[in-house]
Amino acid sequence: MGEKSAAAKQFIFLAAFVLLASGLNVAGSVLAGGARFPLYMDSFGTLAAAAVCGLAPSLAVAVLTNAALCALGRLKLIFMVCQILTALGSHLVFKAARKRGVAQFSLDSFMVSGILSAVTNGISGSLFAAAYQYNLTAIEQGIYVATQNVILSNLAGGFLLNLVDKALASFIAYGMYLLATAKCARAWSNAAGGHRNEVRRLERQRNCGTPDPNEERDAPVLKIRPERIFLAVAVFSLWMSFGFKKRANV
């Protein structure tokens, strides 16, 4: 009976997180578009789901997000490929961290996931945008003014824009991950009744992404901090986006 109750609670948690992450992705995209903010803001929930819940829930978030955006007329359904690549790439990064013995993910893992997503989305998204003849973004227009090459402008601009977008998405996803794992830790702690349930409690704890204090290991710190490089490039890209906007509209 206890096992069924735990499984039901885990399913409810996963379903709720998938719906919440998908809704936040859609809301982020709509708000960014309404405010004419030059970012996509539709993938941080996908990154967070990969860290908190795993591959299948992250893919579910990717599908639900783009299906909703397609229904709202904001994106073609083909752009779902970009979200799926984000889910797959981030899952591989977090899986590799687990294999290294990391009990709780650091910001480094999220930044690496974001960089990988920026590359895959920058290439695939730019190709899809070109195929459907989407209007060039401000940064793409600026690069076009400088190079007079539509293909180069589309690819380079899409990559730089994705760097900015995924840098911010990585930070938001990391915050969602910390909140979710803290919630799980409190829930498992309150539910633990004694020694008989200790093994099961620790297993549920790990599945939810929360480390056991006795088993926690520090995440390996990279010599070159990826978030610093990532943020520097992102800030530069954002500056280019706004800086070239006036020139592109001349």
Side-chain angles (χ1 to χ4, degrees):
M1 189 70 178
E3 292 182 359
K4 290 183 179 180
S5 177
K9 289 181 179 179
Q10 186 177 34
F11 176 79
I12 293 173
F13 170 80
L14 292 176
F17 195 92
V18 166
L19 293 175
L20 175 64
S22 303
L24 290 175
N25 276 350
V26 174
S29 176
V30 172
L31 290 175
R36 295 185 178 180
F37 193 57
L39 295 177
Y40 307 115
M41 296 303 298
D42 63 353
S43 60
F44 55 88
T46 310
L47 289 170
V52 176
C53 307
L55 177 59
S58 182
L59 289 173
V61 172
V63 172
L64 289 174
T65 297
N66 268 80
L69 292 175
C70 180
L72 293 172
R74 302 186 62 84
L75 282 176
K76 298 289 186 182
L77 198 58
I78 188 65
F79 284 91
M80 187 183 293
V81 173
C82 299
Q83 283 275 2
I84 291 175
L85 289 175
T86 295
L88 291 173
S90 55
H91 169 70
L92 291 176
V93 172
F94 295 131
K95 184 178 180 180
R98 285 291 190 206
K99 287 185 176 179
R100 294 197 304 271
V102 174
Q104 186 165 6
F105 302 129
S106 68
L107 182 59
D108 286 359
S109 295
F110 285 85
M111 284 296 173
V112 173
S113 298
I115 293 172
L116 181 58
S117 179
V119 173
T120 58
N121 284 212
I123 295 174
S124 59
S126 296
L127 293 176
F128 297 150
Y132 284 98
Q133 298 181 342
Y134 274 45
N135 293 330
L136 294 177
T137 62
I139 192 170
E140 291 168 344
Q141 292 174 31
I143 295 175
Y144 177 73
V145 170
T147 64
Q148 296 298 307
N149 188 313
V150 176
I151 297 177
L152 177 62
S153 302
N154 197 283
L155 290 173
F159 174 67
L160 291 175
L161 188 60
N162 267 284
L163 275 178
V164 182
D165 182 72
K166 298 306 182 290
L168 184 56
S170 297
F171 274 99
I172 297 175
Y174 183 57
M176 292 176 65
Y177 167 75
L178 293 179
L179 289 173
T181 51
K183 173 73 174 176
C184 287
R186 289 194 298 270
W188 301 149
S189 178
N190 294 335
H195 181 71
R196 286 180 56 191
N197 295 325
E198 186 66 13
V199 174
R200 293 174 184 171
R201 181 184 68 83
L202 293 178
E203 183 177 359
R204 290 196 302 268
Q205 206 173 13
R206 294 189 196 97
N207 291 337
C208 201
T210 306
D212 172 46
N214 296 323
E215 297 180 356
E216 184 173 356
R217 295 175 56 184
D218 293 333
V221 179
L222 302 180
K223 293 182 179 179
I224 301 177
R225 303 290 292 182
E227 63 267 24
R228 295 178 182 175
I229 299 175
F230 199 2
L231 283 178
V233 175
V235 170
F236 176 71
S237 302
L238 189 61
W239 172 78
M240 287 181 64
S241 179
F242 284 108
F244 276 144
K245 189 173 184 178
K246 293 182 179 179
R247 185 177 177 184
N249 292 330
V250 173

